[in-house]
Amino acid sequence: MDTLLLSRIQFGANISFHILFPTITIALGWVLLFFKLRFNATGEIKWMDAYRFWVKVFALSFAMGVVSGITMSFQFGTNWPGFMETVGNIAGPLLAYEIMTAFFLEAVFLGIMLFGFSRVPGWLHTLATFLVAFGTTMSAFWILVLNSWMHTPEGFEMRNGVAFATDWWAIIFNPSMPYRLVHMLLASGLTVAFLIAGFSAFRWLRGDQGRDVRAGLKTGLMLGAVLIPIQIFAGDMHGLNTLKYQPQKVAAMEGNWETDTNVPLLLFAIPDEEARENRMEIAIPNGASLILTHKADGEVPGLNDFVTPEGEVMHPPVAPVFYAFRIMVGTGMAMLLLSWASVAIMARRRDVGALPRPMLFVMVPMAFSGWVATLAGWYTTEIGRQPWLVQGVLTTEMAVADVPAPFVGTTLVAYLAIYALLLSAYVFVLFYLAAKAGKGEQIRLRVPQPGEAIARQVPAE
Amino acid sequence: MELFGDPGQWLPLTFAGLMGLSILIYVVLDGFDLGVGVLFPFADDGEKDMMVASIGPFWDANETWLVLAVGLLLVAFPTAHGAILTALYLPVAVMLIGLILRGVAFEFRVKAPTPHKRAWNTAFFVGSLMTSLAQGYMLGLYIMGLEQSWATWAFGALTAVFLTVGYSFIGATWLILKTSDVLQAKAVQWARGGIWGLVLGLGAISLASPLVSDRIWDKWFSVPEIFALAPLPLMSVALVVLLWLALRRLPTSDDSWAWFPFVASIVLFTLAFFGLAYSFYPYVVPDQLTIYEAASAPESLFIILVGTCVVLPMIGGYTVLAYTVFRGKAQELRYD
């Protein structure tokens, strides 16, 4: 394999591993703040117990996100120097603002949030929790600004092959940014909703049916049920935005080869890029036209429009985009079904305990449904941008480093091994913590008075 | 932008200064927590917990300075960023894997089942060691002008060892400050053992950098520079002597002066850093690319600078808050 392909696999592996953890921490920070505020308001211990369990998951996820994020900041330079050399004048300030307004904020206050409970006044601990949640969200904002700009670049001009910023407002609020940001924040919310529901269900099934588990199950399922319809709507809007600015991506998502009206919605197909056609199509007539143009005879762009007369393919590889999109949508539908059905049962019977056991069993693997949908969604949009790195400005091939392929190959194997190890360890420890909390090994806490710090004894000098 | 003259001149200089500041803060702050990791095998299990407790609330923010430093290199000097990082491809990968291992080990060692704790302790040590060695190696190669040859690799290996010893030294001085009793006494022993490595490291770098480059030689050894610069090495020697004397008397019965080795180490690192910065200015890639040639467009630098002026004092402020909240001797880390 050549350096380009190896570098792409390496960056893809890295960013796939990385995104799993911010997806959790962005929303979990806010959920923790919610638990904390509920405890402050009601004084009910179940909220603090829920906080105490999920803050461990937060700390672990945060560490995983930090270390894999550091890796990426270096790989820009080691593997993709052409990226910063060409668009550094735009990407640079955005990354700098992310580091300065988000990374330091979350990193510093994380220490106080995790270990400062008995060292600082209650209000400062709540403030630290807020600032960590705020920091993770700011971080998501800046990085999605940059990512969206790579899809829909605006507010710049090219001089001697280098991009120069002309309008920062247009750069930051580029056409796809609002959609992508909302779509990702909702994805994070859903990931956390199902994570909390799933692990609460796991604890429930193991006989740990305390009030904090009840509260977790209810919070997770309610959050999921509220967010999923909003997400489906936001996703649809994002798709329409993509149709306008990156029609070749939508063509790949729909598996549509020829620009046409009355295009069917393909539920399943095997796209064959060699023959430039689909095999084994299962389709709903006019479906794609209806979804994308809201008219049965609306026109949907086709992939064949994005092949130059010389035969150069300027559209993304079809099959991965096509499948990834279907996995994302399918997972979303499963989320909708599960959350609405369970909330309906809880509402009817007015009791979390009324949820049937098979449903709880389904919730456990669904704890990671957010990861599946998020990864599939990112694969759709990022592979869908190929062959461009920055749409219309810079191809991925132009940005790759002149590093010997064996170097990239060796480090790739090392990264993959360590990611596999860490991911297994992470999932294992999550289940271990949940099981341990269920055995009642968790120390019942010393109840702090809200707004009052407890002096801790200093170990003997 | 025209306020201070040509922005093509003062902006690159300002950003080189900011980047240098981030690197210095990183080397001091992550230096001590990497050093604590390197010292792990010398401690027993209870001491290991206390050592981690002394750095637990800080390590994440400490590492963020590395992200800021490489971020500034990336945003302010994009061509240099590419040139340096592709030349250092493999050591960077080693460092990153080390950082990953130690970063997650912090969490896993206390959250995984007890039988796994030993393995995560090992990961914490190995990760810290890999990171320190890789950084030392990169420092050596950078001093050698990023040339690849047996001689430069050998020098890189040398600086790898010395920087690791240097980190473990400042780590030991941090433990003297933050711990008590048996562990504190042990930390004094570790610091005594590490000070020689520090002296050799500083000596090797001071000797090698002027010998490698005529330009650096001239910057240090011509008149009148040699007199103006003399305080730098003299102060370093004086500090080393003071450190050596202090370490012979510590720990004191009333814990007075426990702060001194750590503070003196910071000053020593700072002096060494200024020496290096003076040697290499105005180059960002040694003898190939100056900060002025490598700089981004002034418009982009200016927009970052505006933000920096607002945000950096805030970062400073809440960093001080964190160190104030967790001041005094380290305590067991708990979430409640």
Side-chain angles (χ1 to χ4, degrees), chain A residues 418, chain B residues 34 38 91 93-99 101-102 123-138 160 164:
Chain A
I418 210 153
Chain B
L34 283 167
V38 172
V94 171
M95 174 185 80
L96 292 175
I97 289 174
L99 283 173
L101 276 179
R102 72 185 297 273
F124 184 64
F125 162 68
V126 171
S128 303
L129 186 66
M130 280 168 75
T131 307
S132 310
L133 287 172
Q135 286 179 358
Y137 179 81
M138 288 190 269
T164 305

Side-chain angles (χ1 to χ4, degrees), chain A residues 10 52 55-57 59-60 62-64 66-68 70-71 73-79 81 84-85 88-93 95-97 99-101 103-105 107-112 114-120 124 159 164-165 168 401-403 407-408 411 414-415 418-419 421-422 425-426 428-429 432-433 436 443 445-446 456-461, chain B residues 50 56-68 70-72 74-75 78-79 81-83 85-86 88-90 92-97 99-104 107-108 110-114 116 120 180-181 255 296-308 311-312 315 318-319 321-322 324-336:
Chain A
Q10 179 161 319
R52 211 171 298 289
V55 80
K56 288 181 189 155
V57 176
L60 186 60
F62 199 93
M64 300 279 274
V66 167
V67 296
S68 53
I70 293 177
T71 314
S73 67
F74 276 88
Q75 285 192 351
F76 282 137
T78 53
N79 295 62
M84 288 310 280
E85 281 159 20
N89 288 326
I90 286 138
L95 288 170
Y97 272 88
I99 296 168
M100 290 190 303
T101 61
F103 288 176
F104 278 105
L105 197 66
V108 171
F109 283 102
L110 182 72
I112 297 177
L114 292 183
F115 308 120
F117 191 78
S118 54
R119 284 188 163 236
V120 298
L124 183 53
R159 287 182 228 149
F164 285 82
W168 279 104
D402 187 21
V403 175
F407 278 23
V408 186
T411 49
Y415 283 125
I418 210 153
Y419 290 157
L421 175 82
L422 291 183
Y426 177 83
F428 170 78
V429 165
Y432 171 77
L433 287 175
K436 195 170 84 164
I443 304 149
L445 59 152
R446 311 158 288 109
R456 288 276 298 279
Q457 221 181 352
V458 180
E461 295 280 332
Chain B
M50 196 45 78
F58 309 114
W59 74 273
D60 191 356
N62 293 349
E63 268 179 20
T64 309
W65 290 98
L66 177 67
V67 180
L68 182 64
V70 77
L72 284 173
L74 180 87
V75 303
T79 41
H81 177 256
L85 290 188
T86 46
L88 298 175
Y89 188 86
L90 288 182
V92 166
V94 171
M95 174 185 80
L96 292 175
I97 289 174
L99 283 173
I100 293 174
L101 276 179
R102 72 185 297 273
V104 298
E107 295 295 330
F108 278 122
V110 287
K111 295 192 173 65
T114 319
H116 298 187
W120 287 113
S180 47
D181 302 329
D255 205 39
S296 294
E299 297 85 347
S300 294
L301 290 181
F302 192 72
I303 209 135
I304 304 175
L305 187 63
V306 172
T308 310
V311 178
L312 213 55
I315 294 174
Y318 53 69
T319 303
L321 172 71
T324 312
V325 167
F326 298 101
R327 68 187 177 278
K329 296 295 178 187
Q331 298 169 21
E332 183 197 2
L333 288 183
R334 325 168 38 121
Y335 286 160
D336 47 19

